[in-house]
Amino acid sequence: MAAVTRFLLLGLGKSNMAVANDLLQNSTEFDVFLEKGEAPESLLSNKVKVYSLINELPLNNYNYVIKSPGIPFSHPVVAKCKESGLNITNEIGYSLRYKARPLVAITGTNGKTTSTSLVEHILNQKEERAKAVGNIGNSFLEEAKKQEKLLITELSSFQLRDLHTFNPDVSIWLNIFSAHLDYHKTFEDYLNSKQNVFINQSPDHLFIFNEDDANIRQASELKKGKKKSFSLKNKSANAYFDGEYLWVEGECWIHKNELGIKGVHNIQNAMASVLASLEYATKEEVISGLKSFNGVEHRLEKVIDEASLKIYNDSKSTNTTAVKAALSAFEEPVVLMMGGLDRGNGYEDLINEWKKVKSVICFGQSGPKIYKDAKDHTEAILEDDLDKAIEIAKNKVASGGILLFSPGCASWDRFSSFEERGKYFKEKFISFK
């Protein structure tokens, strides 16, 4: 007797719950592996079987496995599924069955959210024809089912690792730095996961890449057919920044001061976004979008912008690369707030950045490490409590200056997300002048 065509869902995070609800709507059988916690009543009432022990799973019954991105590939249940020859994907892979409109896929260690939001902004100026989805927070599955709009998809390495046949119409690889090694274990695995954004693209589908990144440049040689690059160094790249002006396909387009977002890293994001947007919009629309886009919440977000006082919320900064990028946006020294969850990282690679910092206020679990690396290079203040650190920061800029909240660490020592952390920071400064 042939095996029943049905699914096994590993985990019930936000993405897998969307899949579960879709399977229920389609009357498709599925089981769930949930190591901890209880399944929602909506599943139990529909007689969905929930397993918590790996050896009890009837693996011969399944044709497809949908894995929550947060479950590491090293988990024993993943290994067991692979041993049984099961294909493993995630919500994105499952949802591609509904795809009817073009798909733009964007990845990188940093800059994904800004670039995704910028492409969406450019394409939606005249009418709403694109939707930002994926890791940015909006459901890929929900929008794919509607089949109404271009999908501008932010993808993390966690998501990409499980996408082995992914073929987006346009892919972007912004950058890559050592990150998430607690999940990937090796940089090679992290790199290979990122490669899935383009590695299975058709020759007529476009791959956009950062020519200045040696790892990405080398990987780009694997792409056959249509590809374009952006660069801060090579004038021959399809998009190039000369330090003052952004050039596209050999034409001078726009001065950096006309852009709505600050910093060299955001110019790189803009160049990649321009090349993607030109597949679906005119030059005039793209330039208009570049001028009117003011960035995304929690990424170098202006909290106060006055002549003598400027305060920026960069709560999305969760690694030292993001801190460097934020600091590069300012010509004068800033008061910097850094700290958060200690994930075992060091901060030695900021040694050349401290000269851009007037004072660094170190807080949270990682505060002592940051303080140790900074104190010999700039004024460093250690304060474990975030509220007290904020009061110190207020005193530092009371008479004017720039305050940059760029933690460089995950938020989970106190907050559930970088969004919650950023909103908390902003609330502390709403009435501050």
Side-chain angles (χ1 to χ4, degrees):
M1 182 176 177
V4 177
T5 301
R6 65 181 183 190
F7 293 76
L8 171 64
L9 273 56
L10 303 182
L12 280 178
K14 182 179 179 181
S15 62
N16 261 16
M17 272 305 301
V19 173
N21 290 331
D22 188 65
L23 291 170
L24 287 175
Q25 290 172 12
N26 289 301
S27 300
T28 303
E29 287 189 62
F30 68 97
D31 295 343
V32 172
F33 174 78
L34 194 61
E35 200 166 29
K36 297 178 182 178
E38 296 183 0
E41 180 59 32
S42 61
L43 300 190
L44 298 176
S45 63
N46 279 281
K47 298 182 180 180
V48 173
K49 292 182 180 179
V50 180
Y51 296 89
S52 60
L53 298 176
I54 298 172
N55 58 9
E56 292 182 354
L57 286 169
L59 295 177
N60 290 333
N61 284 356
Y62 309 121
N63 294 92
Y64 307 99
V65 176
I66 314 296
K67 183 176 81 67
S68 289
I71 296 179
F73 63 90
S74 56
H75 193 288
V77 73
V78 179
K80 198 71 175 177
C81 289
K82 286 183 176 179
E83 287 174 12
S84 298
L86 296 173
N87 292 319
I88 302 173
T89 188
N90 52 33
E91 178 217 359
I92 306 291
Y94 170 85
S95 306
L96 291 175
R97 68 194 61 208
Y98 293 111
K99 176 186 175 298
R101 299 295 302 279
L103 168 61
V104 177
I106 302 173
T107 197
T109 304
N110 294 319
K112 296 185 294 295
T113 300
T114 296
S115 301
T116 302
S117 300
L118 177 52
V119 175
E120 180 190 41
H121 172 78
I122 290 170
L123 299 184
N124 287 343
Q125 290 178 97
K126 292 184 177 180
E127 60 178 312
E128 193 171 335
R129 55 197 181 106
K131 183 70 174 180
V133 294
N135 198 51
I136 201 168
N138 300 321
S139 171
F140 185 103
L141 175 56
E142 180 180 329
E143 293 300 324
K145 287 175 67 176
K146 292 177 183 177
Q147 300 186 358
E148 296 173 349
K149 298 173 184 174
L150 283 81
L151 301 181
I152 318 301
T153 312
E154 177 185 332
L155 292 171
S156 71
S157 59
F158 295 7
Q159 294 164 314
L160 284 167
R161 199 182 193 282
D162 298 320
L163 294 176
H164 303 292
T165 58
F166 192 48
N167 182 20
D169 300 82
V170 177
S171 66
I172 297 176
W173 192 354
L174 295 164
N175 48 56
I176 187 165
F177 308 101
S178 183
H180 304 302
L181 298 190
D182 52 340
Y183 182 93
H184 288 281
K185 306 306 179 186
T186 66
F187 180 76
E188 182 182 16
D189 186 81
Y190 181 50
L191 179 72
N192 290 338
S193 297
K194 289 292 191 185
Q195 281 185 180
N196 281 346
V197 78
F198 78 88
I199 202 72
N200 291 302
Q201 276 186 290
S202 303
D204 58 335
H205 287 173
L206 175 62
F207 174 44
I208 298 165
F209 66 97
N210 184 347
E211 189 175 318
D212 300 337
D213 188 303
N215 285 305
I216 296 177
R217 187 172 63 251
Q218 182 177 359
S220 72
E221 296 174 4
L222 300 172
K223 172 66 166 76
K224 306 302 180 185
K226 194 174 179 181
K227 52 188 172 183
K228 294 184 177 181
S229 68
F230 60 93
S231 175
L232 300 174
K233 302 174 182 178
N234 183 6
K235 294 181 180 180
S236 299
N238 300 92
Y240 166 67
F241 178 63
D242 66 6
E244 292 293 329
Y245 290 91
L246 192 158
W247 296 70
V248 180
E249 305 293 4
E251 286 186 36
C252 185
W253 267 33
I254 187 171
H255 191 272
K256 64 179 180 181
N257 293 342
E258 296 180 84
L259 294 172
I261 46 181
K262 289 176 63 69
V264 172
H265 65 295
N266 272 329
I267 290 173
Q268 291 177 304
N269 296 335
M271 289 192 289
S273 300
V274 163
L275 295 175
S277 298
L278 282 174
E279 294 293 297
Y280 310 104
T282 66
K283 173 183 175 180
E284 291 71 27
E285 288 174 327
V286 175
I287 291 177
S288 172
L290 288 174
K291 292 179 177 179
S292 59
F293 181 69
N294 291 316
V296 296
E297 190 177 19
H298 311 302
R299 171 54 82 198
L300 267 186
E301 176 191 8
K302 296 175 183 177
V303 179
I304 294 177
D305 185 18
E306 299 179 349
S308 62
L309 176 64
K310 299 182 186 299
I311 296 177
Y312 289 84
N313 164 36
D314 195 40
S315 182
K316 199 173 188 297
S317 158
T318 57
N319 53 50
T320 55
T321 302
V323 176
K324 290 179 183 179
L327 289 172
S328 74
F330 305 98
E331 295 180 0
E332 59 268 62
V334 305
V335 174
L336 173 66
M337 292 188 67
M338 275 190 72
L341 182 72
D342 185 356
R343 302 177 77 178
N345 300 322
Y347 301 90
E348 303 86 355
D349 59 337
L350 290 175
I351 189 169
N352 294 322
E353 310 302 317
W354 297 124
K355 61 180 180 290
K356 303 174 184 177
V357 176
K358 185 189 309 182
S359 179
V360 57
I361 303 163
C362 316
F363 64 88
Q365 282 186 8
S366 57
K369 282 186 177 180
I370 299 168
Y371 174 81
K372 180 182 177 182
D373 286 341
K375 64 182 177 63
D376 293 334
H377 307 283
T378 189
E379 180 187 45
I381 301 168
L382 179 60
E383 176 52 69
D384 178 66
D385 183 76
L386 177 57
D387 291 327
K388 292 180 180 178
I390 288 173
E391 291 307 311
I392 294 171
K394 286 181 177 180
N395 290 331
K396 287 286 181 183
V397 295
S399 58
I402 298 173
L403 172 59
L404 172 63
F405 183 70
S406 187
C409 306
S411 59
W412 306 317
D413 58 338
R414 174 166 174 174
F415 301 98
S416 62
S417 65
F418 71 81
E419 292 97 339
E420 182 185 350
R421 177 173 65 183
K423 288 176 181 176
Y424 185 86
F425 172 79
K426 289 194 291 183
E427 287 171 359
K428 294 294 183 179
F429 283 90
I430 287 175
S431 60
F432 180 71
K433 297 290 182 183

